[in-house]
Amino acid sequence: MFTSVVVVVLIPAGYSNGFRGQVASAGLLDLLDEGVPGVGTYEDFNTIDWVREKSKDRDRHREINRQKKQSDLALLLSLIDAFSGWLLMLLIGLLSGALAGGIDIAAHWLTDLKEGFCMKGFWFTHEHCCWKSNETTFQRRNKCPQWKSWAELMVGVPEGASAYVVNYLMYVSWALIFSYLAVILVRAFAPYACGSGIPEIKTILSGFIIRGYLGKWTLLIKTITLVLAVSSGLSLGKEGPLVHVACCCGNILCHLFTKYRKNEAKRREVLSAASAVGVSVAFGAPIGGVLFSLEEVSYYFPLKTLWRSFFAALVAAFTLRSINPFGNSRLVLFYVEFHTPWHFLELFPFVLLGIFGGLWGALFIRANIAWCRRRKTTRLGHYPVLEVVVVALATAVLAFPNEYTRMSSSELISELFNDCSLLDSSKLCDYISPGKGADRAAGPGVYTALWQLVLALVFKMFITVVTFGMKVPSGLFIPSMAVGAIAGRLLGIGMEQLAYYHHEWPMFKGWCSLGAKCITPGLYAMLGAAACLGGVTRMTVSLVVIMFELTGGLEYIVPLMAATMTSKWVADALGREGIYEAHIRLNGYPFLEPKEEFEQKTLAMDVMRPRRNDPPLSVLTQDGMTVEEVEGMISDTSYSGFPVVVSHQSQRLVGFVLRRDLVISIDNARCCQDGIVGASRVLFTEHTPSHPYQGGPPPLSLRPILDLSPLAITDHTPMEITVDIFRKLGLRQCLVTQNGCLLGIITKKDILKHMAQMANRDPDSILFN
Amino acid sequence: MFTSVVVVVLIPAGYSNGFRGQVASAGLLDLLDEGVPGVGTYEDFNTIDWVREKSKDRDRHREINRQKKQSDLALLLSLIDAFSGWLLMLLIGLLSGALAGGIDIAAHWLTDLKEGFCMKGFWFTHEHCCWKSNETTFQRRNKCPQWKSWAELMVGVPEGASAYVVNYLMYVSWALIFSYLAVILVRAFAPYACGSGIPEIKTILSGFIIRGYLGKWTLLIKTITLVLAVSSGLSLGKEGPLVHVACCCGNILCHLFTKYRKNEAKRREVLSAASAVGVSVAFGAPIGGVLFSLEEVSYYFPLKTLWRSFFAALVAAFTLRSINPFGNSRLVLFYVEFHTPWHFLELFPFVLLGIFGGLWGALFIRANIAWCRRRKTTRLGHYPVLEVVVVALATAVLAFPNEYTRMSSSELISELFNDCSLLDSSKLCDYISPGKGADRAAGPGVYTALWQLVLALVFKMFITVVTFGMKVPSGLFIPSMAVGAIAGRLLGIGMEQLAYYHHEWPMFKGWCSLGAKCITPGLYAMLGAAACLGGVTRMTVSLVVIMFELTGGLEYIVPLMAATMTSKWVADALGREGIYEAHIRLNGYPFLEPKEEFEQKTLAMDVMRPRRNDPPLSVLTQDGMTVEEVEGMISDTSYSGFPVVVSHQSQRLVGFVLRRDLVISIDNARCCQDGIVGASRVLFTEHTPSHPYQGGPPPLSLRPILDLSPLAITDHTPMEITVDIFRKLGLRQCLVTQNGCLLGIITKKDILKHMAQMANRDPDSILFN
């Protein structure tokens, strides 16, 4: 005969109800923090509950504050705890900056390896190889005896048809080797290392669990394969993947600090900062990186994070600068040296570039998504290695003959941004009257370059569509910018020549007189790059700030605003989603877009489950069920949680209990607690009955795992408000009541399915909870 | 005998329940938008309901989208509606930029008037007067025959004891006249024009109504009195008030667009952008302005606003530049020209400046709040005009003898930031070996300047405490920066001379060799200014970005971060609140600080009303009360809303109705609707009874004004979550239930009172709802 009521001594680390508070203040916290393993954690591919995570952190914080007053050691520990966030940011900045520097150097070296070999030592890049060579002049920077092209090494002659063929073959072979290695490594060791990673990071930051996505294997493999993929000459960039790399660093370094290791919400604060770090090292733009994180990637971004992100972004940028991978001790990737003023009338071509960028962005997204969907649904998706190798082969074969596609995309962009100085040897600078500060007629070199650029533009536009989304690390920033920069430079040269030959035209009259330089083609290239990047990603302020940090002056902000605003408007008119949102939707991640307004006029009762003809909601009663009945309900259903009501008759809501916690607690009680059998009553009430059940087994009190403060809305709540509540509070589910009685439940997945349905899309495309 | 049920045809513009939706789709929207005058609006000094306002806007948006599909005209109107936000931003930027330019020019002119008079025309400032004078040289820029000091005009001699006395007297008299005019104008026409306005704008943006605070009278009077107050030489700046001026512009221009005029939430989006515009024109820092708005002022800042704010801030900055008030076509207020590198060891003095800034910030806030509290509680507050005049007299009398306090604070800061060039005539640049790029020994001028600066520092530190909070427009940015700049320059000169005389000291060895210039005192001044501003306002990223935009280079970001981080940490250790939060609290505004975490372990049931021994909550039942009973309840209580329950027995929650809506609807029904008498039953049910009450008057259905989706939380919800819900959703009140039954209500004021109590402050200091 059992006369005592057994209370399970297990309190999930995350529950903030009164009971918990009492136990915590009784000094049991160390025990509680450990808890029963698994209670309060999440399964893979599931949504976290922000409210619970934040409560957990506040409990921790309160406990530290309480202990602080008691001993000096605790005071010291509390100080360490307070500064651990800053220390973590410092470490992330240092590690990411170092990795980015390493990636830059390695990619440079491998890219040069496609063309030749340094006799001074195989580890020299072309530039370093010729660094101290006496024969290096401005015109022939890339000719020095120590650097041998493959043709020189194999055939022995530097030029001629056979040399060309040898160089061509070597270029293609290296491209194939690099791309094959990259895709094989990704497939073998870290499938998550492919793609840009930004869609997944956005989803993770919005409160989703993808285990291993930011793990050490992903970091290692992504770092290596990124270098290989970039060097293989595929039309992809390293900027997006660098954000992924920085987030991996952030996630891994989180494990050094309990505060961040154990709390999913706190960890997401760190990851927000890490994504700022990623952009900061990619472009050398710390402020732009922070704004990128704020505008594009982050979901929950407290202002404390803003300050820390900025700190981390700065540390990373300065670490990268001290590594000096570009060999010019500059912070930014594309440094723009011109400061020539622009004229008001030039806004017209700038807006044209914006329109081009918007059109291309929208079309690119559609084409790329269509291609990725085809890859997912047809047999194409079964041969990822072959796909990468074939695309790499096609890229290399088509790219080599054209000088502007043969060089890496970042070099191409640098060259297009560049305003010709007197000593410049580039074909783009082959002007007939190359006086600085004067207008100039294009020479034959410029005309050749124009044709090559047109071909390069068409090539890049097509090849990028099939490249983005393959199973190698691939960023979109650089290819988009390259497309825009080519288009911009073409327009810029066109305008320049127009102005040169037609000074008398009304549109040039007055500001573009004979002999004065009035059009800067490099500026057009820059604006085109910004417009295309804006069209693809739909970034706004962060894009302008990144470009502002590249030029370092306020003079081009108005043109930049004009181009990017036009680009965004045009692109938005053709399709609301940016490339990252489109990929999130393609993958069916549960991402509740924070920027989009919910336009429909539906109510919570239209969205909640159970629907009209469904079986009633599975609920637990607060004191009317046995362990067996509960176990039966768990095995019959697959819901991730159950509401607890007063009784089946009244349906008045008491609380909510999570399936995972319930399973773990019952298993734990069954194995370790005396007297708990199938017939034991499960109690969620506050007071266990004073008269224990005569003759029956002792009841099992599960109140500690009961969430006593589930959020409930009424059935008449408009869905727009419901969506807002989900977004702002980061809910996982919400109960629906009518006049105080439980009616149903809405989960994030239900909302996303409803939104898909309203937009005439397949609601089953939302895959995860 | 009445056989029909009269339904009030009045639907508040903001209600988004099912009923509303049906009526709206029936095409009644134009009628609805007008509604019964007053329903859906707020009383003065009350908190708005963000949820309701946002629903209202979405309804409007949906209606436009619906109509758009029907006619081309509606399509055009919808496009105009979509672009009206941008147009509004453009107008705000233009108007604010123009006003800021006007203020700058007028303040310059009046400030110069204190010293003398231009014979070429009274409207010339000193600088413009001597602009084309042949005798103007670098050394004697401010000596030209056309410009007469008052002594020259009155006594006829430019120098000597009597001239000094005359100039002194005129200086003091003008100061008295200006300050008297300023305070009289403020008191007579626009009492809201006083102070910096930022605390009130923060409160308004958090969802509070202060009618007239951003009105046209305030704008007019603030613009005029700001010029007067700045010119009077009082220790105040125009940067904070410029934010107020820009917000007034934003608010007034909102009236041009229905979308913004009628919606409190949308208008706050515009005001957020306007505050960015204010900082943008104050410092010529558009990015810094946007970040300031985001970090410091705004409460609810959707990302769409970020982009628009940036646009408005840019327009304003360029408008100001085209007005060119400083006569140098520079965008920024304090342009810094030096780009000399700094050494790692200098971080130590930079951190010292940070500590100084933090200490001064914290002490200033304490002293200023103590003084303001004294003003509020003692007889001092009864003589605001006298107070201003006395402080102005004291300031003028003490300031005139010292060159560095006689000049305006912005000139002082410019001079302190300045690194001495060869032609500089300032005393601060009186070095014995003034070779550029070389180290230098201080001459007698520098030593004199040092003593004067020490006196100026002490003077500014004290006088600013009593000045801020007087009944004239007064900003804190410039005085704080002046204090910091003086301290920084003093430390900078000290370091410089130390380095000059002690090259062999270990701390200078290696980087500060003989003949090389290694310390830039101007940089120290800049960092000191940033540190003090940071200590007072607790700005972080926005401060660094504003200073970064002043210098335009990334080289000083690390020193800036070091100084501002230290300053914030030190100041936070001495008191959590910045000056604006402290003033909000002093005035008892209902502001729920978004940055501060709620640390206490209380539950919703501890905070809700009714408390344990209070009378029960006043509730309406859904169908059991008559018009008379409802009116009685309204007159007996002063609550701003009443929950509606199923019945007094069950207390199950149906909805919530606002007092204001209830009063207006009943009055309206009584006057305009047939058969509504005191004995009419008030119905909140969905279905009016099919059998009307035989013999009784027709019932009054008030379901249209019933909010069917009031947010309800359980009594066990921790207060930290409750506070989060209030903050994030912008609630005005929230109902508390237990097992589905209504238990009580929590308002924003209850939360603020509870927080005050927990922090051992007087809960009655929270004055408004």
Side-chain angles (χ1 to χ4, degrees):
Chain A
M1 205 171 84
F2 299 93
T3 51
S4 69
V5 175
V6 182
V7 177
V8 190
V9 185
L10 98 83
I11 291 96
Y15 276 82
S16 295
N17 48 40
F19 184 87
R20 171 70 205 285
Q22 288 152 25
V23 178
S25 58
L28 278 167
L29 202 97
D30 284 344
L31 179 73
L32 301 180
D33 264 349
E34 299 308 317
V36 170
V39 168
T41 62
Y42 301 94
E43 280 177 64
D44 204 2
F45 292 104
N46 256 294
T47 298
I48 67 164
D49 188 338
W50 287 95
V51 178
R52 165 162 126 162
E53 294 298 310
K54 277 187 275 174
S55 291
K56 208 155 72 168
D57 185 58
R58 281 192 203 117
D59 282 346
R60 202 190 57 81
H61 206 73
R62 257 194 292 269
E63 180 56 23
I64 288 174
N65 274 344
R66 195 182 59 77
Q67 290 183 347
K68 182 166 85 175
K69 289 167 194 142
Q70 294 171 355
S71 77
D72 287 346
L73 181 70
L75 183 68
L76 187 71
L77 286 175
S78 83
L79 277 177
I80 292 174
D81 181 79
F83 278 86
S84 65
W86 290 99
L87 180 60
L88 181 56
M89 290 298 145
L90 179 72
L91 293 176
I92 293 174
L94 290 173
L95 183 57
S96 307
L99 276 176
I103 290 171
D104 278 336
I105 291 170
H108 255 134
W109 178 68
L110 279 187
T111 305
D112 286 349
L113 196 63
K114 287 195 298 182
E115 293 182 353
F117 192 83
C118 185
M119 301 308 283
K120 269 161 56 183
F122 71 92
W123 58 87
F124 282 109
T125 65
H126 192 159
E127 202 176 339
H128 285 120
C129 188
C130 298
W131 204 290
K132 284 183 186 159
S133 164
N134 293 327
E135 296 174 44
T136 311
T137 62
F138 282 101
Q139 273 75 26
R140 296 171 65 84
R141 181 203 71 116
N142 47 2
K143 302 274 178 196
C144 71
Q146 291 87 348
W147 179 262
K148 303 275 185 211
S149 73
W150 291 111
E152 279 178 280
L153 279 172
M154 293 182 175
V155 196
V157 285
E159 267 160 58
S162 60
Y164 187 82
V165 171
V166 169
N167 280 334
Y168 199 160
L169 283 177
M170 285 305 291
Y171 182 91
V172 174
S173 322
W174 280 117
L176 288 179
I177 292 170
F178 293 158
S179 58
Y180 180 74
L181 274 177
V183 68
I184 281 293
L185 281 173
V186 165
R187 282 189 61 79
F189 297 106
Y192 286 145
C194 68
S196 88
I198 294 184
E200 284 79 9
I201 288 168
K202 281 188 78 159
T203 315
I204 290 174
L205 285 179
S206 82
F208 191 61
I209 305 264
I210 310 180
R211 286 204 203 291
Y213 197 83
L214 301 173
K216 50 189 180 305
W217 274 106
T218 310
L219 175 63
L220 182 69
I221 297 299
K222 187 130 196 174
T223 310
I224 296 170
T225 54
L226 177 58
V227 172
L228 290 168
V230 167
S231 315
S232 73
L234 282 165
S235 178
L236 46 81
K238 60 183 169 44
E239 282 61 29
L242 272 180
V243 173
H244 189 178
V245 165
C247 283
C248 289
C249 294
N251 186 51
I252 292 165
L253 288 170
C254 272
H255 283 89
L256 299 178
F257 302 90
T258 330
K259 184 172 167 181
Y260 296 101
R261 184 176 64 233
K262 289 204 175 166
N263 195 297
E264 296 288 342
K266 292 300 276 180
R267 204 189 301 178
R268 273 159 185 77
E269 283 179 23
V270 175
L271 294 180
S272 287
S275 63
V277 168
V279 173
S280 168
V281 290
F283 289 101
I287 302 174
V290 172
L291 285 172
F292 175 81
S293 168
L294 176 67
E295 189 187 353
E296 192 64 25
V297 186
S298 297
Y299 203 82
Y300 169 73
F301 199 91
L303 283 167
K304 210 165 62 182
T305 312
L306 192 72
W307 189 214
R308 290 194 181 164
S309 302
F310 190 54
F311 173 72
L314 264 182
V315 171
F318 278 88
T319 308
L320 181 62
R321 185 163 84 167
S322 62
I323 293 176
N324 196 5
F326 309 116
N328 52 7
S329 76
R330 262 176 212 141
L331 198 56
V332 298
L333 187 54
F334 310 112
Y335 185 72
V336 176
E337 277 169 288
F338 47 87
H339 290 276
T340 38
W342 53 276
H343 190 266
F344 188 72
L345 280 174
E346 281 188 285
L347 279 180
F348 178 70
F350 296 161
V351 165
L352 275 186
L353 283 177
I355 293 173
F356 171 79
L359 283 177
W360 187 71
L363 291 179
F364 172 80
I365 292 170
R366 289 203 181 184
N368 181 255
I369 290 296
W371 181 256
C372 287
R373 181 157 288 138
R374 168 171 292 256
R375 184 187 290 131
K376 272 190 117 161
T377 49
T378 63
R379 290 188 54 194
L380 185 65
H382 300 168
Y383 309 106
V385 179
L386 189 65
E387 185 194 358
V388 170
V389 172
V390 167
V391 173
L393 180 67
T395 310
V397 167
L398 292 172
F400 187 83
N402 185 338
E403 187 186 334
Y404 292 106
T405 47
R406 195 193 312 166
M407 63 174 73
S408 75
S409 294
S410 9
E411 274 179 74
L412 172 63
I413 297 173
S414 283
E415 182 148 350
L416 293 170
F417 279 15
N418 187 23
D419 196 32
C420 301
S421 62
L422 277 173
L423 292 169
D424 226 314
S425 66
S426 153
K427 261 195 297 184
L428 273 173
C429 296
D430 179 25
Y431 286 95
I432 288 169
S433 50
K436 208 177 178 182
D439 61 348
R440 42 198 190 176
V446 172
Y447 287 109
T448 323
L450 281 184
W451 279 114
Q452 287 182 332
L453 282 179
V454 169
L455 289 176
L457 179 63
V458 174
F459 168 71
K460 291 247 172 217
M461 282 169 81
F462 280 94
I463 205 78
T464 309
V465 170
V466 293
T467 306
F468 187 70
M470 291 198 311
K471 295 281 171 221
V472 285
S474 57
L476 250 189
F477 278 36
I478 291 286
S480 314
M481 286 175 80
V483 166
I486 296 175
R489 187 83 189 200
L490 289 174
L491 183 66
I493 294 177
M495 285 292 293
E496 186 192 40
Q497 295 307 308
L498 212 60
Y500 179 75
Y501 288 110
H502 303 280
H503 285 294
E504 72 290 354
W505 280 14
M507 73 164 290
F508 297 117
K509 221 164 191 169
W511 62 284
C512 206
S513 53
L514 198 74
K517 190 172 174 230
C518 43
I519 308 255
T520 317
L523 173 62
Y524 283 71
M526 199 178 85
L527 295 176
C532 279
L533 187 52
V536 171
T537 60
R538 311 291 160 87
M539 286 155 66
T540 57
V541 184
S542 44
L543 178 59
V544 173
V545 173
I546 288 174
M547 298 310 269
F548 160 72
E549 285 188 83
L550 295 190
T551 59
L554 276 172
E555 56 268 77
Y556 299 132
I557 278 212
V558 172
L560 268 173
M561 287 281 287
T564 49
M565 269 167 73
T566 320
S567 151
K568 183 166 161 65
W569 282 339
V570 170
D572 277 352
L574 294 173
R576 295 291 302 174
E577 290 176 323
I579 185 76
Y580 301 128
E581 287 82 46
H583 271 265
I584 285 174
R585 197 154 59 68
L586 182 74
N587 291 328
Y589 294 131
F591 182 74
L592 206 50
E593 179 56 56
K595 278 173 243 174
E596 224 172 285
E597 297 269 313
F598 184 83
E599 293 288 348
Q600 306 302 323
K601 185 81 214 176
T602 41
L603 298 181
M605 59 173 139
D606 307 326
V607 179
M608 70 175 192
R609 284 178 307 169
R611 297 291 160 80
R612 209 144 289 165
N613 303 318
D614 286 355
L617 196 66
S618 304
V619 294
L620 300 169
T621 58
Q622 63 175 355
D623 53 4
M625 293 173 85
T626 62
V627 169
E628 249 170 7
E629 283 167 340
V630 173
E631 282 173 334
M633 184 180 276
I634 291 171
S635 62
D636 288 348
T637 60
S638 59
Y639 305 129
S640 40
F642 303 94
V644 177
V645 294
V646 171
S647 67
H648 277 297
Q649 290 76 45
S650 82
Q651 291 281 338
R652 281 179 10 221
L653 181 66
V654 174
F656 191 81
V657 64
L658 286 177
R659 179 199 189 83
R660 192 177 162 88
D661 292 351
L662 201 58
V663 170
I664 295 174
S665 307
I666 290 181
D667 286 355
N668 189 58
R670 280 236 187 202
C671 90
C672 317
Q673 221 178 312
D674 264 352
I676 297 297
V677 291
S680 298
R681 292 237 278 172
V682 174
L683 296 184
F684 290 102
T685 47
E686 194 168 357
H687 305 289
T688 43
S690 48
H691 303 289
Y693 308 99
Q694 295 292 326
L700 171 65
S701 173
L702 289 181
R703 191 169 174 92
I705 62 161
L706 181 64
D707 179 6
L708 283 167
S709 54
L711 206 73
I713 55 173
T714 67
D715 55 343
H716 273 86
T717 308
M719 273 313 287
E720 59 204 23
I721 295 177
T722 314
V723 170
D724 239 36
I725 293 175
F726 266 81
R727 274 203 282 239
K728 294 206 170 135
L729 302 180
L731 295 185
R732 181 194 164 107
Q733 73 275 320
C734 181
L735 299 167
V736 182
T737 61
Q738 184 185 42
N739 296 353
C741 297
L742 183 67
L743 214 64
I745 188 168
I746 296 181
T747 64
K748 198 168 174 183
K749 192 178 180 178
D750 294 330
I751 292 182
L752 286 163
K753 282 187 163 185
H754 177 71
M755 287 167 93
Q757 212 160 19
M758 288 286 142
N760 290 321
R761 295 192 311 253
D762 178 21
D764 292 328
S765 65
I766 313 297
L767 297 178
F768 307 104
N769 260 315
Chain B
M1 207 170 87
F2 301 91
T3 51
S4 70
V5 175
V6 183
V7 176
V8 191
V9 185
L10 102 81
I11 291 97
Y15 276 82
S16 294
N17 48 40
F19 184 87
R20 171 71 206 284
Q22 287 152 26
V23 179
S25 57
L28 277 168
L29 201 97
D30 285 344
L31 178 73
L32 301 180
D33 265 348
E34 298 309 316
V36 170
V39 168
T41 62
Y42 301 94
E43 278 177 68
D44 205 2
F45 292 104
N46 255 292
T47 298
I48 67 164
D49 188 337
W50 287 94
V51 178
R52 166 162 125 162
E53 294 298 309
K54 277 187 275 172
S55 290
K56 208 157 65 168
D57 185 59
R58 278 187 206 126
D59 282 346
R60 203 190 57 81
H61 205 74
R62 257 194 293 268
E63 180 56 22
I64 288 173
N65 274 346
R66 198 182 56 78
Q67 289 182 346
K68 179 166 86 173
K69 290 168 192 139
Q70 294 171 355
S71 78
D72 288 345
L73 180 71
L75 183 67
L76 187 70
L77 286 175
S78 82
L79 277 177
I80 292 173
D81 180 79
F83 278 86
S84 65
W86 290 98
L87 180 61
L88 181 56
M89 290 298 144
L90 179 71
L91 293 176
I92 293 174
L94 290 173
L95 183 58
S96 307
L99 277 177
I103 289 171
D104 278 337
I105 291 170
H108 254 135
W109 178 68
L110 280 187
T111 304
D112 287 349
L113 196 63
K114 286 195 298 182
E115 293 183 353
F117 190 83
C118 184
M119 301 306 284
K120 271 162 55 184
F122 71 92
W123 58 88
F124 283 109
T125 65
H126 192 160
E127 202 176 340
H128 286 118
C129 189
C130 298
W131 202 288
K132 284 178 186 161
S133 164
N134 294 328
E135 295 175 42
T136 311
T137 61
F138 282 102
Q139 274 74 25
R140 296 171 66 84
R141 183 203 70 115
N142 46 3
K143 302 275 178 196
C144 70
Q146 291 87 347
W147 179 262
K148 302 276 186 210
S149 72
W150 291 110
E152 278 179 280
L153 279 171
M154 294 183 173
V155 197
V157 286
E159 267 160 59
S162 61
Y164 186 82
V165 170
V166 169
N167 281 334
Y168 200 158
L169 284 177
M170 285 305 290
Y171 183 92
V172 173
S173 321
W174 281 116
L176 288 180
I177 293 170
F178 294 158
S179 57
Y180 181 72
L181 274 177
V183 69
I184 282 291
L185 281 173
V186 165
R187 281 191 61 79
F189 297 106
Y192 286 146
C194 69
S196 88
I198 294 183
E200 284 79 11
I201 288 169
K202 281 189 78 160
T203 315
I204 289 175
L205 285 178
S206 82
F208 191 60
I209 306 265
I210 309 180
R211 287 202 203 292
Y213 197 84
L214 301 173
K216 50 187 179 307
W217 274 107
T218 310
L219 174 61
L220 183 69
I221 297 300
K222 186 128 197 177
T223 310
I224 296 171
T225 53
L226 177 57
V227 171
L228 290 169
V230 168
S231 316
S232 74
L234 282 166
S235 178
L236 46 81
K238 61 184 166 45
E239 282 58 32
L242 272 179
V243 173
H244 189 179
V245 165
C247 283
C248 288
C249 294
N251 188 50
I252 292 166
L253 289 169
C254 272
H255 283 89
L256 298 177
F257 302 91
T258 330
K259 183 172 168 180
Y260 296 101
R261 184 176 64 235
K262 290 204 173 166
N263 195 297
E264 296 288 343
K266 292 299 277 182
R267 205 188 301 176
R268 274 162 184 76
E269 283 179 23
V270 175
L271 294 180
S272 286
S275 63
V277 167
V279 174
S280 167
V281 290
F283 290 101
I287 302 173
V290 172
L291 285 173
F292 175 80
S293 167
L294 175 68
E295 188 187 353
E296 191 64 24
V297 186
S298 298
Y299 202 82
Y300 169 73
F301 198 90
L303 283 168
K304 213 165 61 183
T305 311
L306 191 72
W307 189 213
R308 292 196 180 162
S309 304
F310 190 54
F311 174 70
L314 264 182
V315 171
F318 278 87
T319 310
L320 181 62
R321 185 161 82 166
S322 61
I323 293 176
N324 197 5
F326 309 117
N328 52 8
S329 76
R330 261 176 214 144
L331 199 55
V332 299
L333 187 55
F334 310 112
Y335 185 73
V336 176
E337 278 170 287
F338 46 88
H339 289 277
T340 37
W342 53 276
H343 190 266
F344 188 71
L345 280 176
E346 281 187 283
L347 279 179
F348 178 69
F350 297 160
V351 165
L352 275 186
L353 283 177
I355 293 173
F356 172 79
L359 283 177
W360 187 71
L363 291 179
F364 173 80
I365 291 170
R366 290 205 180 182
N368 181 256
I369 290 296
W371 181 254
C372 289
R373 181 157 286 139
R374 167 170 292 256
R375 183 187 293 131
K376 274 189 115 162
T377 49
T378 64
R379 291 188 54 194
L380 186 65
H382 300 169
Y383 309 105
V385 179
L386 188 67
E387 184 194 1
V388 169
V389 172
V390 167
V391 172
L393 180 68
T395 310
V397 167
L398 292 172
F400 187 84
N402 186 339
E403 187 185 336
Y404 292 106
T405 47
R406 194 192 314 166
M407 62 173 78
S408 75
S409 294
S410 4
E411 277 179 71
L412 172 63
I413 296 172
S414 284
E415 181 149 350
L416 293 170
F417 278 16
N418 186 25
D419 196 33
C420 298
S421 63
L422 277 173
L423 292 170
D424 227 315
S425 67
S426 153
K427 261 194 299 188
L428 274 173
C429 297
D430 179 24
Y431 287 95
I432 288 168
S433 50
K436 206 177 176 180
D439 61 350
R440 43 199 188 176
V446 172
Y447 287 109
T448 323
L450 281 183
W451 278 114
Q452 288 183 329
L453 283 178
V454 169
L455 290 175
L457 180 64
V458 174
F459 167 71
K460 292 245 170 219
M461 282 168 82
F462 280 96
I463 206 77
T464 310
V465 170
V466 292
T467 306
F468 188 70
M470 289 197 312
K471 295 282 171 219
V472 285
S474 57
L476 250 188
F477 279 36
I478 293 285
S480 315
M481 286 174 79
V483 166
I486 298 174
R489 187 82 188 201
L490 290 174
L491 184 65
I493 295 177
M495 286 292 293
E496 187 192 41
Q497 296 308 310
L498 212 60
Y500 179 75
Y501 289 110
H502 302 281
H503 284 294
E504 73 290 352
W505 280 13
M507 73 165 291
F508 297 116
K509 219 164 193 170
W511 61 285
C512 206
S513 54
L514 197 72
K517 189 170 173 231
C518 42
I519 307 253
T520 318
L523 173 61
Y524 282 72
M526 198 177 85
L527 295 176
C532 279
L533 187 52
V536 172
T537 61
R538 312 289 160 89
M539 287 153 66
T540 55
V541 183
S542 45
L543 178 60
V544 173
V545 172
I546 288 174
M547 298 310 266
F548 160 70
E549 285 188 83
L550 295 190
T551 58
L554 277 171
E555 55 269 77
Y556 299 132
I557 278 211
V558 171
L560 269 173
M561 288 280 289
T564 51
M565 269 167 74
T566 319
S567 150
K568 188 170 157 62
W569 283 338
V570 169
D572 276 352
L574 295 173
R576 295 291 301 172
E577 288 178 323
I579 185 75
Y580 301 128
E581 286 80 45
H583 272 264
I584 286 175
R585 199 154 60 66
L586 182 73
N587 290 327
Y589 294 131
F591 182 75
L592 206 50
E593 179 58 56
K595 280 172 238 171
E596 223 172 285
E597 297 267 317
F598 184 84
E599 293 288 350
Q600 305 302 324
K601 184 83 212 175
T602 41
L603 299 180
M605 58 173 141
D606 306 326
V607 178
M608 71 177 190
R609 284 177 307 169
R611 299 289 161 81
R612 209 144 290 164
N613 301 320
D614 286 355
L617 196 65
S618 304
V619 293
L620 300 170
T621 58
Q622 62 175 358
D623 53 5
M625 292 174 87
T626 63
V627 170
E628 248 170 7
E629 283 168 341
V630 172
E631 283 173 334
M633 185 181 271
I634 291 171
S635 62
D636 288 350
T637 60
S638 59
Y639 304 129
S640 41
F642 304 94
V644 177
V645 295
V646 172
S647 67
H648 277 298
Q649 291 75 47
S650 83
Q651 291 281 337
R652 281 178 10 219
L653 181 67
V654 174
F656 191 80
V657 64
L658 286 177
R659 177 198 191 84
R660 190 176 164 90
D661 293 352
L662 203 57
V663 170
I664 295 173
S665 306
I666 289 180
D667 286 354
N668 189 58
R670 281 237 187 202
C671 90
C672 318
Q673 222 176 312
D674 266 352
I676 297 296
V677 292
S680 298
R681 292 238 277 171
V682 174
L683 295 185
F684 290 102
T685 47
E686 193 167 358
H687 306 289
T688 43
S690 47
H691 302 289
Y693 307 100
Q694 295 292 327
L700 172 64
S701 172
L702 288 181
R703 191 169 175 93
I705 62 162
L706 180 65
D707 179 6
L708 283 167
S709 54
L711 206 72
I713 55 174
T714 67
D715 56 342
H716 272 86
T717 308
M719 272 314 287
E720 61 204 23
I721 295 178
T722 314
V723 170
D724 238 36
I725 293 174
F726 266 80
R727 273 203 282 238
K728 293 205 171 137
L729 302 180
L731 295 185
R732 183 193 163 104
Q733 72 275 320
C734 182
L735 298 167
V736 181
T737 60
Q738 184 187 42
N739 295 355
C741 296
L742 183 66
L743 215 64
I745 189 169
I746 296 182
T747 64
K748 200 168 171 181
K749 192 177 178 178
D750 293 330
I751 291 183
L752 286 163
K753 282 188 162 185
H754 177 71
M755 287 167 91
Q757 210 160 19
M758 287 288 143
N760 290 322
R761 294 192 311 253
D762 177 21
D764 292 326
S765 64
I766 312 298
L767 297 179
F768 307 104
N769 261 313

